[in-house]
Amino acid sequence: MASESGKVECLAWAAKDPSGVLSPYNFTRRAVGEDDILIKITHCGICYADVIWTRNMHGDSKYPLVPGHEIVGIVKEVGFSVSHFRPGDRIGVGTYVNSCKQCDYCNDRQEVYCVKGSVLTFNATDVDGTVTRGGYSSCIVVHERYCFRIPDNYPSALAAPLLCAGITVYSPMMRHGMNQPGKSLGVIGLGGLGHMAVKFGKAFGLKVTVFSTSASKKEEALGVLGADNFVVSSDQEQIKEFYNSLDFIIDTASGDHPFDPYMSLLKTSGIFVLVGFPSEVKFSPANLNLGMKTVSGSITGGTKATQEMLDFCAAHKIYPNIELVPIKYASEALERLIKRDVKYRFVIDIENSLK
């Protein structure tokens, strides 16, 4: 795996242009430094971020581009200063692989909010000037600070989506006290993030109501995921039934949608958290001020919260719903993700299909 220079030979699937079509690609990872871990990747989840950057939707894609930031694998080699992991350990890597390590947020183990900007797992420029490449690959070299221990009893394929989809909803739920049994939670959108919000909500003892544009998801939401209520969000009569009834709302929808109807569902001092990325957020100030409500945004989470979430999921047997696919299916999976044709996260079986 390592070359004479110490750099690590790596096989991947990459997008070569904005078509986003993936094909085999060989490159080298950096040599394992004193604080680094070389990970043989076994599984990688597929996130909508992979769609965005393989297709250059933000105009900043660096080709060839290897996507993937929900990574699980096995430790193959560690640098001499690594203290928390050893070869053979199962390990995870999430949405970022570096940060300044010195600012207040890094010191508080909220590295994703690093004042100098966290280094994303793919399509970013690392501190050594190299472009980061993600988990649709055979291996990765990561500083140990940004690696997570996968609990012994937790399946690797199911752990992968926790490293983005899971922590993206878990982190703000914990920050805003959404773990109080008996409280009520609304979840907008029932995709990769939304279905994890439902699972966490039920594990916390909340009464969970799902809001979706797709009436076809009702049976799944209630019968499979265990939600207490299901509302077709375009049906204003159904919406009105929940006026002033929710303590919390997690909004996972990235498509444009109105906000005022949802703000009216919050109780006085209710909390609305946005984790999706619609093109704009617009609501009446009265819907915020008169009810003493809070609107908050959030992305993923710091290293402390991520490890806590992994341990919590293992202890409470919380598992994402996945569809396991081979690497050669990745381009089709991205197309299906655009069409929302997945329940609820694709995971690539890197170990058995990337040869």
Side-chain angles (χ1 to χ4, degrees):
M1 187 178 287
S3 65
E4 292 183 4
S5 65
K7 292 187 176 181
V8 181
E9 301 297 329
C10 190
L11 171 62
W13 278 49
K16 310 296 176 54
D17 56 53
S19 71
V21 175
L22 302 171
S23 59
Y25 172 60
N26 290 281
F27 68 101
T28 56
R29 300 280 189 188
R30 71 170 184 265
V32 177
E34 63 181 74
D35 298 307
D36 286 335
I37 299 174
L38 170 60
I39 304 166
K40 178 185 177 183
I41 297 173
T42 61
H43 298 86
C44 185
I46 295 179
C47 174
Y48 198 80
D50 303 346
V51 173
I52 291 172
W53 275 287
T54 55
R55 286 159 173 74
N56 199 28
M57 291 180 178
H58 289 334
D60 62 352
S61 296
K62 303 173 179 67
Y63 297 105
L65 189 149
V66 179
H69 60 199
E70 295 179 340
I71 300 167
V72 173
I74 306 294
V75 175
K76 300 301 291 183
E77 181 184 338
V78 300
F80 65 82
S81 294
V82 171
S83 58
H84 293 97
F85 300 97
R86 61 184 181 182
D89 287 347
R90 283 192 312 142
I91 196 169
V93 177
T95 60
Y96 53 95
V97 292
N98 219 329
S99 64
C100 80
K101 307 180 185 69
Q102 298 174 343
C103 69
D104 289 345
Y105 298 101
C106 286
N107 287 335
D108 197 33
R109 293 188 63 188
Q110 297 191 70
E111 298 91 341
V112 68
Y113 299 109
C114 175
V115 296
K116 294 185 179 180
S118 58
V119 177
L120 300 182
T121 303
F122 68 89
N123 198 57
T125 303
D126 210 340
V127 292
D128 62 356
T130 61
V131 174
T132 57
R133 295 189 166 97
Y136 292 23
S137 56
S138 58
C139 63
I140 191 168
V141 177
V142 182
H143 188 290
E144 74 163 326
R145 177 175 180 146
Y146 309 95
C147 298
F148 308 100
R149 186 174 301 280
I150 305 301
D152 290 341
N153 61 338
Y154 206 94
S156 294
L158 299 180
L162 299 180
L163 295 160
C164 175
I167 189 60
T168 297
V169 292
Y170 179 90
S171 180
M173 291 179 81
M174 295 300 289
R175 186 184 312 129
H176 294 289
M178 298 185 194
N179 58 343
Q180 303 174 59
K183 296 283 188 177
S184 54
L185 169 70
V187 177
I188 303 173
L190 197 61
L193 275 65
H195 95 290
M196 288 306 304
V198 173
K199 288 173 181 281
F200 284 132
K202 295 306 297 180
F204 293 145
L206 305 179
K207 185 175 182 180
V208 179
T209 299
V210 171
F211 298 86
S212 175
T213 57
S214 303
S216 61
K217 292 187 177 181
K218 180 176 182 179
E219 182 177 348
E220 185 91 8
L222 301 178
V224 177
L225 300 178
D228 299 282
N229 301 295
F230 181 89
V231 175
V232 178
S233 55
S234 59
D235 187 330
Q236 293 306 306
E237 292 304 312
Q238 289 189 41
I239 289 282
K240 288 178 182 178
E241 292 180 17
F242 291 85
Y243 175 76
N244 196 32
S245 69
L246 302 175
D247 296 291
F248 313 108
I249 292 176
I250 292 278
D251 186 350
T252 72
S254 287
D256 287 338
H257 56 283
F259 286 83
D260 279 317
Y262 294 114
M263 293 294 290
S264 71
L265 306 184
L266 287 172
K267 297 177 182 178
T268 298
S269 73
I271 298 172
F272 185 107
V273 174
L274 180 65
V275 295
F277 284 85
S279 64
E280 68 172 6
V281 177
K282 184 178 180 181
F283 53 84
S284 168
N287 278 333
L288 180 68
N289 299 343
L290 297 181
M292 198 171 61
K293 297 168 185 176
T294 297
V295 175
S296 176
S298 190
I299 44 177
T300 56
T303 55
K304 181 180 179 181
T306 302
Q307 188 64 62
E308 288 178 353
M309 175 215 53
L310 288 166
D311 295 339
F312 181 84
C313 287
H316 293 83
K317 295 181 170 56
I318 299 171
Y319 305 113
N321 294 33
I322 71 166
E323 182 175 336
L324 192 64
V325 300
I327 188 67
K328 66 180 181 181
Y329 190 79
S331 291
E332 186 171 344
L334 291 172
E335 291 292 339
R336 284 181 55 192
L337 187 57
I338 294 170
K339 299 173 184 176
R340 302 178 183 177
D341 178 24
V342 55
K343 292 181 180 178
Y344 285 91
R345 206 67 159 183
F346 288 114
V347 175
I348 303 171
D349 184 354
I350 298 291
E351 182 177 35
N352 294 308
S353 66
L354 181 60
K355 306 294 184 182

